[in-house]
Amino acid sequence: MKRFIFIFMFVAAACFLFSSNSRAVDFSGKRIEIIVSAGAGGGLTRNARVFAKHFSKHIPGNPTVVVKNIPGGGGQKGINFVYTKGRKDGTQIVYGPMNFVGINVGLAGIKYVPKKFKLLGFAGATPFVTIVRKDIKGGINSREDIMQKSGFVTGGRIPGGNLGLLSRMPFAILGIKNRFVVGYKNQPKLKAAMMQNEIQALTTGNVGYFVFYLNDTLKKGNGVALFSHPSFDVVTGKFRQSPHIKGVPRFTDFYAKLKGGEPSGDAWEAYKWKVSYDTFSSSMYMHPDTPDNITRVLQKAWKDNWNDPAMQKRFIKRNKAMLVTLQGAAAAKVIEGALSMSPGAKRYFSAELGIAKKSRKKK
Amino acid sequence: MILGVLIGIWMGAVPGLGGVLGMILLLPFTFDMEPVHAFALLLGLFAVTSTSDTIASVMLGIPGTAASQATILDGYPLAKKGQAPRAFGAAFTVSAFGGVFGAIVLAISLPIITPVITSFGSPEIFMLAILGLVMVGSLSGGSIGKGLLGALLGLLISTVGAAQTVAIYRYTFNTDYLLDTLPLIPCVLGLFAIPELMELAVKNISIARIENINTKKSRITDGIKDAFRHWWLATRCAAIGTYIGVLPGLGAAIVDWIAYGHAVQSSKDNKNFGKGDIRGVIAPEAANNATKGGALIPAVAFGIPGSLGTAILLGALLMVGLLPGPDMLTTNLHITFSMVWTLVFANILAAGLLMIWANQVAKIAFVSGHLIVPGVILFVFMGAWLGGDVAIGSWITLLVFGVLGYLMKVSGWARPPLVLGLILGTIVENRFLLSVRAHDGFSWLSKPLVLFLLGLVLVTLYFAIKGIRNKKRGTTDKDEQGEGRASNPVISSIVSIALIFVFSIASWIALDWPSEVGLFPLIIALPAILITLLTARSDWNGAQALYQLNPKATAIIREAIDKAYLTRSLIFISMLLGIILLTLLIGQKLVLPIFIYLYLTFWGSKSKVLAVTYSLISWVVLVFFYDRFINLAFYMPIIQNPLEAILPKNFPIWLLF
């Protein structure tokens, strides 16, 4: 009798598990909200809209896919929302980067645990470019002239933002003294500040390079693209190629040419970590309790969408290059690396974010 | 373009929607269009929201969009006098004029705009924002002290969220909603819409406070004549609007206030502003349409959008494969000029259409308030939800600002300075810190343009103080109507005490922060405490004067309560709180229709048939407009998951939640 009960229960459990796992996921009549953790007018939202336009056809049931903006707190508001209050049925997906710098240095306000999210995939890793005014402190005739300059002003968007950090770190590594001013909110305001000679150096993202500078500032001869910052592939151990950024040397090559060898110090530790793990700005992830069968279906749809020629054509029209996409083991390796920052990098980022001087009383 | 214009008219007319949302909705349809067609659609919509937003501002005293806040100050009093058609006639005429003005400036200034952009850095924008703040003087109603305090409170509230230079958050109280600066829409809707709706509901009156006289078509022509009579004011304000649009960093929300302030200060006879002066409608309406053309100039020429709307247009430009910059003035010049023509025709078309409809719309002013309140509550709540990051925090913000707006209204605290502080606070702090850091000190104060603007600030301040003094001397009527002119020292004392508490707590918290984080809140809060003590003393004197007339404290308090309709107002506020609490349980799509039914049946004493019909229509609007058309994310209530589990799998749950 006991044996019979045991077999019966085993079969019942197996049937239940089998049925729940193989149950066809169907999003017919549903609406999937892509939550962008940034403002409606920015580049991240534009990318999300292109992605959303084609996403539906790769999902069973072809649901309506809409983009929602929940900006604020450097992206934390939107991510916190999905993590703490988001739907668990795959109908709310974050589109945007997790704040890995903030997590490592203990920034307040972050309520999520990256590994707990159901990850569809990492996407991004496009290069950044550092640009300076050509008339900076007596003028620049060749890129190497920057080594003779000091005291100029470098601009950044928000504390801890990629644009500011990737302006600061290279000059710190090269030992060029400059004054960093953060708070320009967005790339257009940074460009306006550069036009006004309020700042003389900045870093822009891949799209910003083409939209704001290549066709205007650089074309008119008012600026020089000093060096690019391609992302580092932790799987192959090499920097990724960015052939669409023509004639701009890679920062590491620039350094090697002028100083020889590999840099060292906290800024370099921070730079290596940043370009390796923290440039996947178009990543997508869902509430931790999203069922596995739904996650698998959406992971496949995510992959199919990035590989869709129609989507790629539209994306390249705007971005000039496709994003790097990672899933599975490669994505897991990125998360592992992102969450294990070296002490030197931590020191650097803490200082940059102003975390070290958080409270007067505590001091 | 015509489709864009029609959608734009709707988006502008409904409080809380606005042109940005409209463009976001239409953007996916433009991906495969020819550039000229795509921009005709998007610009047609974008251009006219500042024309149709006048409807809510004039008829309900609620800003249709952020760009029509100042219009309510004189537009709504005109509607109360039964002169809504006149206000519409003037507003639509100058809106069309302002829009065309901005488009012409766009066309002729594109090749020569560089010096303007390069001359306005952070120091100049900081001084311009200070100039905007000085407008507080002309928006303060009867008391400069209360106006100043309102502005300081707005500035303090603007510091909520991330600090400017380091990753430290201020006044978040560990809530996600406060991680960023409070969104403007729920704050403004709360400050203006809730008190007006409360007045309609509590007093059971119509918008027009006069008998239903025949609103002839000639009234619109009266407004058109007014617009022509004040053509020079309209031209100046259109120029102000265009110029502010060109400058990246100020934003559209401030344009109408600056134009309004300019109209007040440049008028020799300004005692009727705030009571239904047509110039108070002409100035902001000419400016807010002109700003669209202005904001397009740097967006097209350099890729620097002057507002969120132009940022989205810039996105559309990129989506269709175009790049801003010199190409837009050479190889793609035809696209640039198609934008100019779209702005011109869209503005004229919208003004013409709205003038045709204006007489019908104006009749709403004579409808019973009980029929207006429920429907407008729905649009106000959903507008706040939409404009406040689709979170329950936006409704709490709406309610808090609603209570604040009510208390300010009934006790003689002008509300516009608070809005001005709220809008300009972030700009002032951000640009001040950028100026100091980029110039390594205060050398920027000697820049010629900064000195010129500083001179303007001082001149404006002088005339503002002089104007208030003259007004005080000339005022004889104690119960003078208009923003910030009500007299209720007892309620005003309560506001003062609450403010002392708020500013003190804010200072106490700010003392714990590093200097670059805590400096701005302290600069605001510490002087505010002193000024509040002075206004509290003034209120105390007012209360004592009442006591001398009637030496019974209870009678004075009872009179203050009656004058403010406090008891019924508190019941109304409780109903709004009930909406929020019930939403947590059963969601918005059920709560709002239920509220409408209960309001009409029990508060408005209307028939059940009418109440059911009204509720059903509101439910249809929620489900099919806000959910299916706009794709708005609704709150997920507590009962949704359990109910979904027991309902059939194919049941369309979106009908309920």
Side-chain angles (χ1 to χ4, degrees):
Chain A
M1 187 62 185
K2 278 182 183 172
R3 188 173 292 167
F4 175 75
I5 292 171
F6 175 77
I7 291 169
F8 175 79
M9 285 181 70
F10 179 80
V11 171
C15 286
F16 174 76
L17 283 174
F18 180 76
S19 66
S20 62
N21 276 332
S22 65
R23 194 184 299 149
V25 174
D26 186 6
F27 283 89
S28 300
K30 290 196 174 179
R31 182 172 62 209
I32 291 182
E33 288 160 5
I34 292 180
I35 309 288
V36 180
S37 51
L44 191 66
T45 306
R46 285 198 285 275
N47 279 353
R49 287 197 190 107
V50 176
F51 182 89
K53 173 96 178 164
H54 299 264
F55 195 31
S56 173
K57 68 181 172 194
H58 301 290
I59 303 170
N62 307 119
T64 308
V65 179
V66 296
V67 174
K68 299 280 169 206
N69 294 90
I70 305 186
Q76 291 175 47
K77 207 166 159 181
I79 305 173
N80 283 347
F81 170 75
V82 171
Y83 187 82
T84 56
K85 297 171 193 158
R87 298 206 167 99
K88 300 164 187 173
D89 58 357
T91 58
Q92 273 177 336
I93 312 170
V94 182
Y95 187 105
M98 291 184 225
N99 191 344
F100 286 127
V101 173
I103 291 164
N104 276 291
V105 301
L107 185 66
I110 298 175
K111 295 181 178 171
Y112 55 88
V113 179
K115 281 185 178 175
K116 288 191 177 177
F117 274 122
K118 289 291 170 69
L119 183 74
L120 297 191
F122 283 123
T126 49
F128 292 79
V129 180
T130 298
I131 295 168
V132 294
R133 277 178 70 105
K134 198 160 187 184
D135 59 0
I136 185 172
K137 299 280 174 183
I140 286 188
N141 294 316
S142 70
R143 290 188 174 93
E144 289 74 22
D145 289 352
I146 193 68
M147 299 303 293
Q148 316 308 321
K149 313 293 175 190
S150 65
F152 57 87
V153 183
T154 309
R157 204 172 65 83
I158 54 168
N162 273 352
L163 301 184
L165 288 171
L166 285 167
S167 293
R168 284 282 273 169
M169 291 185 290
F171 291 131
I173 294 165
L174 287 166
I176 299 171
K177 286 185 179 169
N178 64 101
R179 194 163 66 252
F180 182 56
V181 179
V182 69
Y184 284 100
K185 306 288 182 192
N186 53 40
Q187 186 62 246
K189 287 194 175 73
L190 276 168
K191 184 187 175 183
M194 189 178 239
M195 284 176 72
Q196 291 144 2
N197 204 15
E198 194 168 293
I199 61 171
Q200 290 84 42
L202 55 78
T203 292
T204 180
N206 181 57
V207 180
Y209 175 68
F210 290 98
V211 171
F212 296 106
Y213 302 101
L214 188 63
N215 195 37
D216 186 32
T217 311
L218 300 175
K219 193 175 181 178
K220 289 175 182 167
N222 296 334
V224 176
L226 274 186
F227 29 71
S228 68
H229 310 282
S231 59
F232 186 78
D233 188 339
V234 290
V235 177
T236 63
K238 290 178 181 170
F239 279 101
R240 293 188 178 94
Q241 299 296 314
S242 44
H244 61 294
I245 308 273
K246 292 185 177 74
V248 185
R250 205 163 60 197
F251 170 67
T252 42
D253 294 341
F254 183 83
Y255 182 92
K257 185 180 167 190
L258 291 177
K259 300 228 169 187
E262 193 178 80
S264 59
D266 288 356
W268 172 243
E269 291 292 316
Y271 182 89
K272 272 196 303 185
W273 179 89
K274 189 83 189 160
V275 296
S276 301
Y277 305 111
D278 202 26
T279 58
F280 292 93
S281 56
S282 292
S283 305
M284 290 179 75
Y285 35 97
M286 305 181 292
H287 191 281
D289 295 339
T290 311
D292 288 343
N293 56 338
I294 291 176
T295 305
R296 277 195 296 274
V297 165
L298 289 174
Q299 279 172 338
K300 183 179 180 306
W302 183 87
K303 190 179 176 185
D304 291 346
N305 197 31
W306 282 116
N307 292 331
D308 183 338
M311 215 287 281
Q312 288 188 344
K313 188 181 168 193
R314 201 186 297 275
F315 205 85
I316 289 171
K317 191 174 177 184
R318 197 184 90 75
N319 289 265
K320 312 296 174 197
M322 275 308 289
L323 305 183
V324 174
T325 55
L326 301 178
Q327 284 183 315
K333 195 164 183 178
V334 167
I335 288 202
E336 286 299 330
L339 296 174
S340 51
M341 188 186 271
S342 72
K346 269 187 193 173
R347 265 196 307 273
Y348 183 86
F349 287 126
S350 293
E352 284 296 318
L353 266 71
I355 307 278
K357 46 182 176 178
K358 193 173 179 179
S359 168
R360 278 181 186 167
K361 278 184 184 170
K362 280 171 190 166
K363 275 175 89 179
Chain B
M1 184 196 80
I2 293 171
L3 179 66
V5 168
L6 292 174
I7 297 172
I9 287 175
W10 171 249
M11 288 290 179
V14 178
L17 294 185
V20 169
L21 173 71
M23 285 197 292
I24 289 171
L25 288 173
L26 291 184
L27 205 55
F29 300 105
T30 63
F31 285 179
D32 298 316
M33 283 184 179
E34 287 294 315
V36 172
H37 298 159
F39 285 106
L41 180 68
L42 293 174
L43 260 182
L45 183 152
F46 179 58
V48 304
T49 49
S50 303
T51 309
S52 59
D53 61 4
T54 313
I55 294 172
S57 299
V58 170
M59 296 308 300
L60 304 165
I62 298 169
T65 69
S68 70
Q69 298 166 75
T71 309
I72 63 175
L73 295 184
D74 283 285
Y76 191 52
L78 280 167
K80 284 179 177 175
K81 293 176 186 173
Q83 293 183 27
R86 181 182 166 212
F88 284 146
F92 298 150
T93 306
V94 294
S95 288
F97 167 73
V100 173
F101 184 94
I104 292 169
V105 175
L106 166 67
I108 59 179
S109 61
L110 271 175
I112 53 166
I113 198 66
T114 308
V116 177
I117 300 286
T118 53
S119 62
F120 264 80
S122 293
E124 289 80 8
I125 291 176
F126 167 71
M127 287 311 298
L128 211 57
I130 294 290
L131 185 61
L133 270 182
V134 172
M135 295 290 176
V136 164
S138 53
L139 297 168
S140 294
S143 164
I144 185 78
K146 288 179 179 176
L148 200 58
L149 275 174
L152 289 170
L153 181 63
L155 288 171
L156 183 69
I157 295 170
S158 77
T159 64
V160 169
Q164 301 286 336
T165 52
V166 290
I168 292 176
Y169 296 95
R170 298 184 289 208
Y171 307 122
T172 60
F173 306 105
N174 204 27
T175 55
D176 281 352
Y177 192 75
L178 299 176
L179 281 175
D180 206 14
T181 311
L182 280 178
L184 186 62
I185 298 290
C187 302
V188 173
L189 286 176
L191 272 179
F192 292 103
I194 298 295
E196 299 310 329
L197 293 170
M198 210 182 285
E199 189 181 8
L200 289 179
V202 167
K203 296 182 181 173
N204 185 21
I205 47 175
S206 59
I207 294 164
R209 307 292 149 84
I210 57 167
E211 289 301 309
N212 187 359
I213 53 168
N214 189 15
T215 50
K216 292 175 188 171
K217 276 190 176 178
S218 61
R219 288 292 176 83
I220 289 179
T221 53
D222 287 347
I224 297 170
K225 283 177 194 165
D226 285 327
F228 280 99
R229 196 176 303 127
H230 298 292
W231 68 273
W232 179 228
L233 175 67
T235 308
R236 291 195 320 264
C237 290
I240 289 171
T242 311
Y243 199 61
I244 288 175
V246 169
L247 302 175
L250 275 179
I254 194 65
V255 168
D256 55 331
W257 289 116
I258 290 180
Y260 186 88
H262 168 73
V264 175
Q265 290 187 338
S266 63
S267 304
K268 284 178 185 166
D269 170 25
N270 59 13
K271 66 176 188 298
N272 287 323
F273 276 98
K275 301 176 207 167
D277 193 315
I278 197 70
R279 291 170 298 177
V281 174
I282 288 171
E285 287 304 311
N288 63 19
N289 277 60
T291 193
K292 303 281 172 75
L296 270 176
I297 297 169
V300 171
F302 311 109
I304 301 173
S307 65
L308 179 56
T310 40
I312 289 167
L313 277 171
L314 181 68
L317 199 77
L318 306 178
M319 295 279 191
V320 294
L322 296 172
L323 288 174
D327 291 354
M328 295 303 288
L329 301 173
T330 51
T331 48
N332 294 320
L333 188 64
H334 65 290
I335 294 168
T336 306
F337 269 94
S338 79
M339 292 183 189
V340 174
W341 286 115
T342 303
L343 275 182
V344 170
F345 288 123
N347 274 293
I348 294 170
L349 179 66
L353 286 172
L354 286 165
M355 285 215 197
I356 294 168
W357 299 329
N359 267 328
Q360 299 305 317
V361 174
K363 287 178 183 167
I364 295 170
F366 298 99
V367 173
S368 158
H370 283 330
L371 289 176
I372 292 173
V373 170
V376 178
I377 284 278
L378 182 142
F379 285 119
V380 165
F381 266 72
M382 294 315 293
W385 183 259
L386 198 57
D389 303 341
V390 292
I392 207 75
S394 60
W395 280 13
I396 295 167
T397 307
L398 176 80
L399 190 62
V400 169
F401 275 78
V403 173
L404 183 63
Y406 159 74
L407 290 172
M408 290 176 85
K409 187 186 171 188
V410 297
S411 59
W413 292 70
R415 292 165 288 177
L418 197 159
V419 179
L420 215 54
L422 198 58
I423 297 169
L424 288 172
T426 313
I427 300 171
V428 168
E429 185 188 12
N430 175 252
R431 292 296 172 166
F432 176 77
L433 291 172
L434 286 177
S435 300
V436 172
R437 292 165 76 103
H439 293 85
D440 202 16
F442 292 89
S443 60
W444 51 274
L445 280 169
S446 60
K447 288 178 83 177
L449 196 51
V450 172
L451 287 172
F452 171 74
L453 290 167
L454 186 62
L456 274 184
V457 168
L458 295 174
V459 168
T460 311
L461 205 58
Y462 169 75
F463 280 109
I465 293 168
K466 194 180 167 193
I468 286 170
R469 280 184 178 171
N470 289 344
K471 209 178 279 179
K472 274 193 173 172
R473 275 188 215 124
T475 302
T476 51
D477 183 5
K478 291 259 177 189
D479 288 323
E480 197 183 352
Q481 294 298 302
E483 185 67 32
R485 290 193 174 89
S487 173
N488 195 330
V490 176
I491 305 283
S492 185
S493 301
I494 296 169
V495 176
S496 295
I497 291 164
L499 284 182
I500 290 172
F501 182 73
V502 168
F503 286 123
S504 303
I505 295 285
S507 308
W508 179 256
I509 295 171
L511 284 171
D512 191 32
W513 293 327
S515 55
E516 67 221 270
V517 181
L519 184 67
F520 192 64
L522 283 172
I523 286 175
I524 297 160
L526 292 176
I529 294 169
L530 292 176
I531 300 169
T532 319
L533 288 170
L534 292 175
T535 58
R537 203 187 74 171
S538 168
D539 289 330
W540 177 249
N541 290 342
Q544 274 193 325
L546 291 174
Y547 188 75
Q548 279 168 3
L549 291 172
N550 181 3
K552 282 185 181 173
T554 51
I556 293 170
I557 292 169
R558 186 171 296 280
E559 192 190 334
I561 288 172
D562 290 345
K563 201 173 173 185
Y565 292 88
L566 193 63
T567 315
R568 277 176 74 79
S569 297
L570 282 176
I571 297 171
F572 189 82
I573 290 165
S574 306
M575 288 198 296
L576 301 185
L577 182 63
I579 291 179
I580 298 173
L581 294 176
L582 262 180
T583 294
L584 303 177
L585 184 67
I586 61 173
Q588 292 137 312
K589 287 179 192 167
L590 297 177
V591 165
L592 287 168
I594 289 171
F595 164 78
I596 288 171
Y597 175 81
L598 294 175
Y599 177 91
L600 287 170
T601 314
F602 295 105
W603 188 288
S605 306
K606 302 290 178 193
S607 73
K608 284 189 176 169
V609 175
L610 177 75
V612 169
T613 312
Y614 207 141
S615 301
L616 275 176
I617 292 170
S618 66
W619 177 79
V620 168
V621 169
L622 283 168
V623 172
F624 292 98
F625 176 67
Y626 281 106
D627 186 340
R628 297 288 105 180
F629 180 63
I630 288 187
N631 282 314
L632 183 65
F634 281 78
Y635 185 79
M636 193 168 74
I638 293 166
I639 65 162
Q640 183 172 341
N641 278 337
L643 205 64
E644 262 187 289
I646 55 170
L647 284 170
K649 194 173 176 273
N650 293 331
F651 183 82
I653 199 75
W654 49 269
L655 290 172
L656 300 176
F657 307 111

